[in-house]
PDB file of all heavy atoms in Angstrom:
ATOM      1  N   CYS E   1       5.316  -9.972   6.606  1.00 91.00           N
ATOM      2  CA  CYS E   1       6.270  -9.401   5.668  1.00 91.00           C
ATOM      3  C   CYS E   1       7.556  -9.046   6.402  1.00 91.00           C
ATOM      4  O   CYS E   1       7.530  -8.370   7.435  1.00 91.00           O
ATOM      5  CB  CYS E   1       5.667  -8.157   5.014  1.00 91.00           C
ATOM      6  SG  CYS E   1       6.805  -7.284   3.927  1.00 91.00           S
ATOM      7  N   ALA E   2       8.708  -9.469   5.843  1.00 90.00           N
ATOM      8  CA  ALA E   2       9.993  -9.191   6.493  1.00 90.00           C
ATOM      9  C   ALA E   2      10.297  -7.700   6.528  1.00 90.00           C
ATOM     10  O   ALA E   2      11.036  -7.234   7.396  1.00 90.00           O
ATOM     11  CB  ALA E   2      11.107  -9.936   5.761  1.00 90.00           C
ATOM     12  N   TYR E   3       9.708  -6.949   5.617  1.00 92.00           N
ATOM     13  CA  TYR E   3       9.977  -5.507   5.558  1.00 92.00           C
ATOM     14  C   TYR E   3       9.054  -4.698   6.478  1.00 92.00           C
ATOM     15  O   TYR E   3       9.288  -3.505   6.684  1.00 92.00           O
ATOM     16  CB  TYR E   3       9.830  -5.023   4.109  1.00 92.00           C
ATOM     17  CG  TYR E   3      10.235  -3.589   3.906  1.00 92.00           C
ATOM     18  CD1 TYR E   3      11.556  -3.192   4.061  1.00 92.00           C
ATOM     19  CD2 TYR E   3       9.297  -2.622   3.553  1.00 92.00           C
ATOM     20  CE1 TYR E   3      11.935  -1.869   3.874  1.00 92.00           C
ATOM     21  CE2 TYR E   3       9.669  -1.301   3.360  1.00 92.00           C
ATOM     22  CZ  TYR E   3      10.994  -0.930   3.523  1.00 92.00           C
ATOM     23  OH  TYR E   3      11.365   0.379   3.352  1.00 92.00           O
ATOM     24  N   ALA E   4       8.049  -5.330   7.051  1.00 90.00           N
ATOM     25  CA  ALA E   4       7.054  -4.609   7.848  1.00 90.00           C
ATOM     26  C   ALA E   4       7.651  -3.751   8.963  1.00 90.00           C
ATOM     27  O   ALA E   4       7.177  -2.629   9.189  1.00 90.00           O
ATOM     28  CB  ALA E   4       6.031  -5.599   8.421  1.00 90.00           C
ATOM     29  N   PRO E   5       8.685  -4.208   9.689  1.00 89.00           N
ATOM     30  CA  PRO E   5       9.217  -3.358  10.758  1.00 89.00           C
ATOM     31  C   PRO E   5       9.782  -2.030  10.274  1.00 89.00           C
ATOM     32  O   PRO E   5       9.896  -1.095  11.054  1.00 89.00           O
ATOM     33  CB  PRO E   5      10.317  -4.232  11.381  1.00 89.00           C
ATOM     34  CG  PRO E   5       9.954  -5.629  11.038  1.00 89.00           C
ATOM     35  CD  PRO E   5       9.317  -5.541   9.681  1.00 89.00           C
ATOM     36  N   ARG E   6      10.167  -1.966   8.995  1.00 88.00           N
ATOM     37  CA  ARG E   6      10.739  -0.730   8.458  1.00 88.00           C
ATOM     38  C   ARG E   6       9.774   0.038   7.570  1.00 88.00           C
ATOM     39  O   ARG E   6      10.113   1.123   7.091  1.00 88.00           O
ATOM     40  CB  ARG E   6      12.001  -1.061   7.660  1.00 88.00           C
ATOM     41  CG  ARG E   6      13.174  -1.432   8.530  1.00 88.00           C
ATOM     42  CD  ARG E   6      14.308  -2.047   7.746  1.00 88.00           C
ATOM     43  NE  ARG E   6      14.724  -1.280   6.581  1.00 88.00           N
ATOM     44  CZ  ARG E   6      15.743  -1.632   5.788  1.00 88.00           C
ATOM     45  NH1 ARG E   6      16.428  -2.727   6.061  1.00 88.00           N
ATOM     46  NH2 ARG E   6      16.084  -0.900   4.759  1.00 88.00           N
ATOM     47  N   CYS E   7       8.603  -0.528   7.312  1.00 89.00           N
ATOM     48  CA  CYS E   7       7.715   0.051   6.314  1.00 89.00           C
ATOM     49  C   CYS E   7       6.770   1.073   6.951  1.00 89.00           C
ATOM     50  O   CYS E   7       6.010   0.733   7.864  1.00 89.00           O
ATOM     51  CB  CYS E   7       6.906  -1.051   5.631  1.00 89.00           C
ATOM     52  SG  CYS E   7       5.809  -0.430   4.337  1.00 89.00           S
ATOM     53  N   PRO E   8       6.758   2.314   6.478  1.00 85.00           N
ATOM     54  CA  PRO E   8       5.850   3.317   7.039  1.00 85.00           C
ATOM     55  C   PRO E   8       4.392   3.079   6.676  1.00 85.00           C
ATOM     56  O   PRO E   8       3.494   3.668   7.285  1.00 85.00           O
ATOM     57  CB  PRO E   8       6.358   4.629   6.425  1.00 85.00           C
ATOM     58  CG  PRO E   8       7.017   4.221   5.146  1.00 85.00           C
ATOM     59  CD  PRO E   8       7.625   2.869   5.422  1.00 85.00           C
ATOM     60  N   LYS E   9       4.126   2.204   5.699  1.00 85.00           N
ATOM     61  CA  LYS E   9       2.758   1.929   5.267  1.00 85.00           C
ATOM     62  C   LYS E   9       2.235   0.590   5.781  1.00 85.00           C
ATOM     63  O   LYS E   9       1.164   0.143   5.377  1.00 85.00           O
ATOM     64  CB  LYS E   9       2.682   1.958   3.738  1.00 85.00           C
ATOM     65  CG  LYS E   9       3.057   3.305   3.128  1.00 85.00           C
ATOM     66  CD  LYS E   9       2.903   3.281   1.624  1.00 85.00           C
ATOM     67  CE  LYS E   9       3.269   4.633   1.026  1.00 85.00           C
ATOM     68  NZ  LYS E   9       2.402   5.721   1.500  1.00 85.00           N
ATOM     69  N   ALA E  10       2.989  -0.063   6.669  1.00 88.00           N
ATOM     70  CA  ALA E  10       2.599  -1.390   7.150  1.00 88.00           C
ATOM     71  C   ALA E  10       1.307  -1.332   7.961  1.00 88.00           C
ATOM     72  O   ALA E  10       1.066  -0.380   8.716  1.00 88.00           O
ATOM     73  CB  ALA E  10       3.719  -1.985   7.985  1.00 88.00           C
ATOM     74  N   ARG E  11       0.477  -2.365   7.780  1.00 90.00           N
ATOM     75  CA  ARG E  11      -0.770  -2.498   8.530  1.00 90.00           C
ATOM     76  C   ARG E  11      -0.778  -3.869   9.208  1.00 90.00           C
ATOM     77  O   ARG E  11       0.163  -4.641   9.100  1.00 90.00           O
ATOM     78  CB  ARG E  11      -1.978  -2.332   7.599  1.00 90.00           C
ATOM     79  CG  ARG E  11      -1.949  -1.019   6.808  1.00 90.00           C
ATOM     80  CD  ARG E  11      -3.138  -0.900   5.887  1.00 90.00           C
ATOM     81  NE  ARG E  11      -2.985   0.221   4.955  1.00 90.00           N
ATOM     82  CZ  ARG E  11      -3.841   0.496   3.991  1.00 90.00           C
ATOM     83  NH1 ARG E  11      -4.931  -0.280   3.829  1.00 90.00           N
ATOM     84  NH2 ARG E  11      -3.639   1.522   3.183  1.00 90.00           N
ATOM     85  N   ASP E  12      -1.855  -4.157   9.893  1.00 90.00           N
ATOM     86  CA  ASP E  12      -1.922  -5.410  10.653  1.00 90.00           C
ATOM     87  C   ASP E  12      -1.712  -6.629   9.766  1.00 90.00           C
ATOM     88  O   ASP E  12      -1.057  -7.593  10.165  1.00 90.00           O
ATOM     89  CB  ASP E  12      -3.271  -5.505  11.377  1.00 90.00           C
ATOM     90  CG  ASP E  12      -3.394  -4.495  12.508  1.00 90.00           C
ATOM     91  OD1 ASP E  12      -2.339  -3.976  12.938  1.00 90.00           O
ATOM     92  OD2 ASP E  12      -4.525  -4.211  12.937  1.00 90.00           O
ATOM     93  N   VAL E  13      -2.290  -6.623   8.553  1.00 91.00           N
ATOM     94  CA  VAL E  13      -2.165  -7.777   7.679  1.00 91.00           C
ATOM     95  C   VAL E  13      -0.703  -8.005   7.275  1.00 91.00           C
ATOM     96  O   VAL E  13      -0.278  -9.143   7.051  1.00 91.00           O
ATOM     97  CB  VAL E  13      -3.058  -7.610   6.418  1.00 91.00           C
ATOM     98  CG1 VAL E  13      -2.571  -6.454   5.552  1.00 91.00           C
ATOM     99  CG2 VAL E  13      -3.108  -8.901   5.611  1.00 91.00           C
ATOM    100  N   CYS E  14       0.089  -6.938   7.210  1.00 91.00           N
ATOM    101  CA  CYS E  14       1.497  -7.063   6.846  1.00 91.00           C
ATOM    102  C   CYS E  14       2.275  -7.808   7.920  1.00 91.00           C
ATOM    103  O   CYS E  14       3.210  -8.562   7.631  1.00 91.00           O
ATOM    104  CB  CYS E  14       2.109  -5.681   6.626  1.00 91.00           C
ATOM    105  SG  CYS E  14       1.270  -4.695   5.369  1.00 91.00           S
ATOM    106  N   VAL E  15       1.899  -7.598   9.182  1.00 88.00           N
ATOM    107  CA  VAL E  15       2.548  -8.277  10.292  1.00 88.00           C
ATOM    108  C   VAL E  15       2.101  -9.731  10.387  1.00 88.00           C
ATOM    109  O   VAL E  15       2.878 -10.615  10.757  1.00 88.00           O
ATOM    110  CB  VAL E  15       2.265  -7.536  11.609  1.00 88.00           C
ATOM    111  CG1 VAL E  15       2.899  -8.246  12.790  1.00 88.00           C
ATOM    112  CG2 VAL E  15       2.756  -6.104  11.527  1.00 88.00           C
ATOM    113  N   ALA E  16       0.870  -9.999   9.999  1.00 90.00           N
ATOM    114  CA  ALA E  16       0.295 -11.335  10.173  1.00 90.00           C
ATOM    115  C   ALA E  16       0.552 -12.267   8.992  1.00 90.00           C
ATOM    116  O   ALA E  16       0.633 -13.486   9.166  1.00 90.00           O
ATOM    117  CB  ALA E  16      -1.204 -11.219  10.416  1.00 90.00           C
ATOM    118  N   GLU E  17       0.683 -11.725   7.777  1.00 91.00           N
ATOM    119  CA  GLU E  17       0.716 -12.569   6.578  1.00 91.00           C
ATOM    120  C   GLU E  17       1.771 -12.074   5.601  1.00 91.00           C
ATOM    121  O   GLU E  17       1.776 -10.896   5.227  1.00 91.00           O
ATOM    122  CB  GLU E  17      -0.659 -12.549   5.903  1.00 91.00           C
ATOM    123  CG  GLU E  17      -0.766 -13.406   4.668  1.00 91.00           C
ATOM    124  CD  GLU E  17      -2.134 -13.295   4.014  1.00 91.00           C
ATOM    125  OE1 GLU E  17      -3.071 -12.808   4.684  1.00 91.00           O
ATOM    126  OE2 GLU E  17      -2.245 -13.687   2.838  1.00 91.00           O
ATOM    127  N   ALA E  18       2.650 -12.961   5.176  1.00 90.00           N
ATOM    128  CA  ALA E  18       3.684 -12.605   4.201  1.00 90.00           C
ATOM    129  C   ALA E  18       3.067 -12.511   2.806  1.00 90.00           C
ATOM    130  O   ALA E  18       2.354 -13.418   2.373  1.00 90.00           O
ATOM    131  CB  ALA E  18       4.799 -13.640   4.204  1.00 90.00           C
ATOM    132  N   PRO E  19       3.320 -11.423   2.078  1.00 92.00           N
ATOM    133  CA  PRO E  19       2.731 -11.284   0.735  1.00 92.00           C
ATOM    134  C   PRO E  19       3.466 -12.137  -0.286  1.00 92.00           C
ATOM    135  O   PRO E  19       4.687 -12.310  -0.217  1.00 92.00           O
ATOM    136  CB  PRO E  19       2.917  -9.796   0.434  1.00 92.00           C
ATOM    137  CG  PRO E  19       4.123  -9.410   1.223  1.00 92.00           C
ATOM    138  CD  PRO E  19       4.115 -10.252   2.464  1.00 92.00           C
ATOM    139  N   ALA E  20       2.731 -12.685  -1.238  1.00 91.00           N
ATOM    140  CA  ALA E  20       3.332 -13.464  -2.327  1.00 91.00           C
ATOM    141  C   ALA E  20       3.725 -12.524  -3.456  1.00 91.00           C
ATOM    142  O   ALA E  20       3.180 -11.431  -3.602  1.00 91.00           O
ATOM    143  CB  ALA E  20       2.334 -14.500  -2.825  1.00 91.00           C
ATOM    144  N   LEU E  21       4.692 -12.945  -4.251  1.00 91.00           N
ATOM    145  CA  LEU E  21       5.107 -12.176  -5.420  1.00 91.00           C
ATOM    146  C   LEU E  21       4.030 -12.330  -6.485  1.00 91.00           C
ATOM    147  O   LEU E  21       3.776 -13.425  -6.985  1.00 91.00           O
ATOM    148  CB  LEU E  21       6.447 -12.711  -5.922  1.00 91.00           C
ATOM    149  CG  LEU E  21       7.286 -11.812  -6.833  1.00 91.00           C
ATOM    150  CD1 LEU E  21       7.720 -10.553  -6.104  1.00 91.00           C
ATOM    151  CD2 LEU E  21       8.512 -12.572  -7.328  1.00 91.00           C
ATOM    152  N   ARG E  22       3.376 -11.214  -6.832  1.00 91.00           N
ATOM    153  CA  ARG E  22       2.253 -11.290  -7.773  1.00 91.00           C
ATOM    154  C   ARG E  22       2.441 -10.298  -8.915  1.00 91.00           C
ATOM    155  O   ARG E  22       3.181  -9.327  -8.806  1.00 91.00           O
ATOM    156  CB  ARG E  22       0.932 -11.015  -7.061  1.00 91.00           C
ATOM    157  CG  ARG E  22       0.842  -9.688  -6.351  1.00 91.00           C
ATOM    158  CD  ARG E  22      -0.400  -9.607  -5.466  1.00 91.00           C
ATOM    159  NE  ARG E  22      -0.485  -8.378  -4.700  1.00 91.00           N
ATOM    160  CZ  ARG E  22      -1.088  -7.276  -5.109  1.00 91.00           C
ATOM    161  NH1 ARG E  22      -1.662  -7.262  -6.305  1.00 91.00           N
ATOM    162  NH2 ARG E  22      -1.118  -6.197  -4.359  1.00 91.00           N
ATOM    163  N   ASP E  23       1.737 -10.573 -10.018  1.00 92.00           N
ATOM    164  CA  ASP E  23       1.872  -9.749 -11.216  1.00 92.00           C
ATOM    165  C   ASP E  23       1.067  -8.463 -11.084  1.00 92.00           C
ATOM    166  O   ASP E  23      -0.051  -8.459 -10.544  1.00 92.00           O
ATOM    167  CB  ASP E  23       1.383 -10.521 -12.444  1.00 92.00           C
ATOM    168  CG  ASP E  23       2.235 -11.744 -12.741  1.00 92.00           C
ATOM    169  OD1 ASP E  23       3.437 -11.707 -12.409  1.00 92.00           O
ATOM    170  OD2 ASP E  23       1.709 -12.729 -13.291  1.00 92.00           O
ATOM    171  N   LEU E  24       1.627  -7.386 -11.619  1.00 90.00           N
ATOM    172  CA  LEU E  24       0.936  -6.112 -11.738  1.00 90.00           C
ATOM    173  C   LEU E  24       0.549  -5.888 -13.200  1.00 90.00           C
ATOM    174  O   LEU E  24       1.151  -6.476 -14.098  1.00 90.00           O
ATOM    175  CB  LEU E  24       1.821  -4.962 -11.252  1.00 90.00           C
ATOM    176  CG  LEU E  24       2.184  -4.938  -9.763  1.00 90.00           C
ATOM    177  CD1 LEU E  24       3.031  -3.702  -9.455  1.00 90.00           C
ATOM    178  CD2 LEU E  24       0.933  -4.942  -8.895  1.00 90.00           C
ATOM    179  N   PRO E  25      -0.427  -5.038 -13.465  1.00 89.00           N
ATOM    180  CA  PRO E  25      -0.859  -4.815 -14.857  1.00 89.00           C
ATOM    181  C   PRO E  25       0.236  -4.292 -15.775  1.00 89.00           C
ATOM    182  O   PRO E  25       0.181  -4.502 -16.986  1.00 89.00           O
ATOM    183  CB  PRO E  25      -1.987  -3.780 -14.704  1.00 89.00           C
ATOM    184  CG  PRO E  25      -2.499  -3.962 -13.320  1.00 89.00           C
ATOM    185  CD  PRO E  25      -1.310  -4.351 -12.499  1.00 89.00           C
ATOM    186  N   ASP E  26       1.231  -3.614 -15.228  1.00 87.00           N
ATOM    187  CA  ASP E  26       2.284  -3.040 -16.074  1.00 87.00           C
ATOM    188  C   ASP E  26       3.411  -4.017 -16.384  1.00 87.00           C
ATOM    189  O   ASP E  26       4.429  -3.644 -16.966  1.00 87.00           O
ATOM    190  CB  ASP E  26       2.855  -1.765 -15.437  1.00 87.00           C
ATOM    191  CG  ASP E  26       3.459  -2.008 -14.050  1.00 87.00           C
ATOM    192  OD1 ASP E  26       3.642  -3.190 -13.680  1.00 87.00           O
ATOM    193  OD2 ASP E  26       3.722  -1.034 -13.336  1.00 87.00           O
ATOM    194  N   GLY E  27       3.285  -5.282 -15.976  1.00 86.00           N
ATOM    195  CA  GLY E  27       4.282  -6.289 -16.297  1.00 86.00           C
ATOM    196  C   GLY E  27       5.269  -6.571 -15.190  1.00 86.00           C
ATOM    197  O   GLY E  27       6.089  -7.475 -15.317  1.00 86.00           O
ATOM    198  N   ARG E  28       5.202  -5.831 -14.097  1.00 91.00           N
ATOM    199  CA  ARG E  28       6.087  -6.078 -12.965  1.00 91.00           C
ATOM    200  C   ARG E  28       5.505  -7.129 -12.042  1.00 91.00           C
ATOM    201  O   ARG E  28       4.331  -7.475 -12.128  1.00 91.00           O
ATOM    202  CB  ARG E  28       6.297  -4.783 -12.169  1.00 91.00           C
ATOM    203  CG  ARG E  28       7.371  -3.913 -12.702  1.00 91.00           C
ATOM    204  CD  ARG E  28       7.570  -2.706 -11.831  1.00 91.00           C
ATOM    205  NE  ARG E  28       6.450  -1.785 -11.912  1.00 91.00           N
ATOM    206  CZ  ARG E  28       6.402  -0.620 -11.279  1.00 91.00           C
ATOM    207  NH1 ARG E  28       7.406  -0.261 -10.513  1.00 91.00           N
ATOM    208  NH2 ARG E  28       5.372   0.181 -11.409  1.00 91.00           N
ATOM    209  N   ARG E  29       6.355  -7.617 -11.138  1.00 94.00           N
ATOM    210  CA  ARG E  29       5.913  -8.487 -10.060  1.00 94.00           C
ATOM    211  C   ARG E  29       6.332  -7.846  -8.749  1.00 94.00           C
ATOM    212  O   ARG E  29       7.446  -7.338  -8.629  1.00 94.00           O
ATOM    213  CB  ARG E  29       6.517  -9.887 -10.200  1.00 94.00           C
ATOM    214  CG  ARG E  29       6.263 -10.540 -11.547  1.00 94.00           C
ATOM    215  CD  ARG E  29       6.946 -11.889 -11.640  1.00 94.00           C
ATOM    216  NE  ARG E  29       6.276 -12.870 -10.827  1.00 94.00           N
ATOM    217  CZ  ARG E  29       6.837 -13.986 -10.365  1.00 94.00           C
ATOM    218  NH1 ARG E  29       8.116 -14.217 -10.606  1.00 94.00           N
ATOM    219  NH2 ARG E  29       6.159 -14.836  -9.639  1.00 94.00           N
ATOM    220  N   VAL E  30       5.444  -7.872  -7.761  1.00 95.00           N
ATOM    221  CA  VAL E  30       5.743  -7.226  -6.490  1.00 95.00           C
ATOM    222  C   VAL E  30       5.169  -8.049  -5.351  1.00 95.00           C
ATOM    223  O   VAL E  30       4.077  -8.622  -5.466  1.00 95.00           O
ATOM    224  CB  VAL E  30       5.192  -5.779  -6.456  1.00 95.00           C
ATOM    225  CG1 VAL E  30       3.683  -5.759  -6.584  1.00 95.00           C
ATOM    226  CG2 VAL E  30       5.646  -5.047  -5.206  1.00 95.00           C
ATOM    227  N   ALA E  31       5.916  -8.149  -4.256  1.00 93.00           N
ATOM    228  CA  ALA E  31       5.464  -8.856  -3.059  1.00 93.00           C
ATOM    229  C   ALA E  31       5.098  -7.813  -2.011  1.00 93.00           C
ATOM    230  O   ALA E  31       5.906  -7.445  -1.158  1.00 93.00           O
ATOM    231  CB  ALA E  31       6.562  -9.788  -2.542  1.00 93.00           C
ATOM    232  N   CYS E  32       3.888  -7.299  -2.110  1.00 93.00           N
ATOM    233  CA  CYS E  32       3.420  -6.264  -1.186  1.00 93.00           C
ATOM    234  C   CYS E  32       1.903  -6.289  -1.153  1.00 93.00           C
ATOM    235  O   CYS E  32       1.259  -6.379  -2.202  1.00 93.00           O
ATOM    236  CB  CYS E  32       3.922  -4.894  -1.618  1.00 93.00           C
ATOM    237  SG  CYS E  32       3.487  -3.551  -0.486  1.00 93.00           S
ATOM    238  N   HIS E  33       1.336  -6.218   0.060  1.00 92.00           N
ATOM    239  CA  HIS E  33      -0.129  -6.162   0.180  1.00 92.00           C
ATOM    240  C   HIS E  33      -0.672  -4.831  -0.329  1.00 92.00           C
ATOM    241  O   HIS E  33      -1.810  -4.771  -0.812  1.00 92.00           O
ATOM    242  CB  HIS E  33      -0.541  -6.349   1.647  1.00 92.00           C
ATOM    243  CG  HIS E  33      -0.267  -7.724   2.182  1.00 92.00           C
ATOM    244  ND1 HIS E  33      -0.873  -8.856   1.673  1.00 92.00           N
ATOM    245  CD2 HIS E  33       0.543  -8.146   3.191  1.00 92.00           C
ATOM    246  CE1 HIS E  33      -0.446  -9.918   2.348  1.00 92.00           C
ATOM    247  NE2 HIS E  33       0.410  -9.522   3.271  1.00 92.00           N
ATOM    248  N   PHE E  34       0.134  -3.774  -0.232  1.00 91.00           N
ATOM    249  CA  PHE E  34      -0.327  -2.442  -0.616  1.00 91.00           C
ATOM    250  C   PHE E  34       0.743  -1.771  -1.480  1.00 91.00           C
ATOM    251  O   PHE E  34       1.427  -0.840  -1.030  1.00 91.00           O
ATOM    252  CB  PHE E  34      -0.609  -1.595   0.628  1.00 91.00           C
ATOM    253  CG  PHE E  34      -1.554  -2.251   1.593  1.00 91.00           C
ATOM    254  CD1 PHE E  34      -1.069  -2.889   2.734  1.00 91.00           C
ATOM    255  CD2 PHE E  34      -2.919  -2.278   1.359  1.00 91.00           C
ATOM    256  CE1 PHE E  34      -1.925  -3.507   3.620  1.00 91.00           C
ATOM    257  CE2 PHE E  34      -3.785  -2.895   2.244  1.00 91.00           C
ATOM    258  CZ  PHE E  34      -3.299  -3.521   3.379  1.00 91.00           C
ATOM    259  N   PRO E  35       0.912  -2.271  -2.723  1.00 91.00           N
ATOM    260  CA  PRO E  35       1.939  -1.672  -3.583  1.00 91.00           C
ATOM    261  C   PRO E  35       1.652  -0.206  -3.860  1.00 91.00           C
ATOM    262  O   PRO E  35       0.491   0.227  -3.857  1.00 91.00           O
ATOM    263  CB  PRO E  35       1.868  -2.513  -4.859  1.00 91.00           C
ATOM    264  CG  PRO E  35       0.500  -3.119  -4.855  1.00 91.00           C
ATOM    265  CD  PRO E  35       0.159  -3.330  -3.413  1.00 91.00           C
ATOM    266  N   LEU E  36       2.724   0.544  -4.092  1.00 84.00           N
ATOM    267  CA  LEU E  36       2.587   1.961  -4.375  1.00 84.00           C
ATOM    268  C   LEU E  36       1.867   2.149  -5.710  1.00 84.00           C
ATOM    269  O   LEU E  36       2.193   1.479  -6.698  1.00 84.00           O
ATOM    270  CB  LEU E  36       3.953   2.629  -4.416  1.00 84.00           C
ATOM    271  CG  LEU E  36       4.809   2.459  -3.135  1.00 84.00           C
ATOM    272  CD1 LEU E  36       6.185   3.084  -3.342  1.00 84.00           C
ATOM    273  CD2 LEU E  36       4.111   3.070  -1.939  1.00 84.00           C
ATOM    274  N   VAL E  37       0.908   3.053  -5.745  1.00 68.00           N
ATOM    275  CA  VAL E  37       0.105   3.291  -6.948  1.00 68.00           C
ATOM    276  C   VAL E  37       0.620   4.562  -7.619  1.00 68.00           C
ATOM    277  O   VAL E  37       0.801   5.585  -6.953  1.00 68.00           O
ATOM    278  CB  VAL E  37      -1.391   3.431  -6.600  1.00 68.00           C
ATOM    279  CG1 VAL E  37      -2.196   3.749  -7.855  1.00 68.00           C
ATOM    280  CG2 VAL E  37      -1.897   2.164  -5.932  1.00 68.00           C
ATOM    281  N   HIS E  38       0.819   4.476  -8.915  1.00 59.00           N
ATOM    282  CA  HIS E  38       1.281   5.624  -9.665  1.00 59.00           C
ATOM    283  C   HIS E  38       0.228   5.985 -10.704  1.00 59.00           C
ATOM    284  O   HIS E  38      -0.149   5.155 -11.540  1.00 59.00           O
ATOM    285  CB  HIS E  38       2.618   5.336 -10.366  1.00 59.00           C
ATOM    286  CG  HIS E  38       3.699   4.962  -9.412  1.00 59.00           C
ATOM    287  ND1 HIS E  38       4.462   5.879  -8.746  1.00 59.00           N
ATOM    288  CD2 HIS E  38       4.117   3.734  -8.983  1.00 59.00           C
ATOM    289  CE1 HIS E  38       5.332   5.270  -7.971  1.00 59.00           C
ATOM    290  NE2 HIS E  38       5.158   3.962  -8.091  1.00 59.00           N
ATOM    291  N   ARG E  39      -0.220   7.200 -10.665  1.00 48.00           N
ATOM    292  CA  ARG E  39      -1.198   7.653 -11.661  1.00 48.00           C
ATOM    293  C   ARG E  39      -0.464   8.018 -12.951  1.00 48.00           C
ATOM    294  O   ARG E  39       0.609   8.606 -12.918  1.00 48.00           O
ATOM    295  CB  ARG E  39      -1.964   8.875 -11.158  1.00 48.00           C
ATOM    296  CG  ARG E  39      -2.843   8.578  -9.964  1.00 48.00           C
ATOM    297  CD  ARG E  39      -3.689   9.806  -9.632  1.00 48.00           C
ATOM    298  NE  ARG E  39      -4.587   9.536  -8.520  1.00 48.00           N
ATOM    299  CZ  ARG E  39      -4.267   9.747  -7.264  1.00 48.00           C
ATOM    300  NH1 ARG E  39      -3.085  10.229  -6.953  1.00 48.00           N
ATOM    301  NH2 ARG E  39      -5.143   9.488  -6.299  1.00 48.00           N
ATOM    302  N   PRO E  40      -1.059   7.689 -14.097  1.00 46.00           N
ATOM    303  CA  PRO E  40      -0.414   8.060 -15.364  1.00 46.00           C
ATOM    304  C   PRO E  40      -0.344   9.568 -15.505  1.00 46.00           C
ATOM    305  O   PRO E  40      -1.244  10.284 -15.120  1.00 46.00           O
ATOM    306  CB  PRO E  40      -1.322   7.431 -16.425  1.00 46.00           C
ATOM    307  CG  PRO E  40      -2.640   7.231 -15.751  1.00 46.00           C
ATOM    308  CD  PRO E  40      -2.340   6.978 -14.312  1.00 46.00           C
ATOM    309  N   THR E  41       0.777  10.056 -16.067  1.00 43.00           N
ATOM    310  CA  THR E  41       0.945  11.509 -16.254  1.00 43.00           C
ATOM    311  C   THR E  41       0.471  11.946 -17.626  1.00 43.00           C
ATOM    312  O   THR E  41       0.393  11.147 -18.540  1.00 43.00           O
ATOM    313  CB  THR E  41       2.428  11.879 -16.088  1.00 43.00           C
ATOM    314  OG1 THR E  41       3.198  11.116 -17.009  1.00 43.00           O
ATOM    315  CG2 THR E  41       2.901  11.605 -14.686  1.00 43.00           C
TER     316      THR E  41
END
């Protein structure tokens, strides 16, 4: 992942493998192995 050097949540897989842009249940698309999770309020 190009953002891995700046990402505080980066792990080994982030350095080794670029994430693909994938769909989330809420209709968004995100390229991240560990997208931020938001609990419903």
Side-chain angles (χ1 to χ4, degrees):
C1 175
Y3 187 66
R6 286 167 51 177
C7 182
K9 299 182 180 298
R11 305 179 191 176
D12 291 342
V13 66
C14 303
V15 178
E17 181 182 344
L21 199 64
R22 57 190 176 91
D23 296 331
L24 294 182
D26 59 12
R28 275 183 290 183
R29 306 177 72 202
V30 62
C32 184
H33 292 297
F34 306 101
L36 304 176
V37 177
H38 301 276
R39 294 187 178 90
T41 57

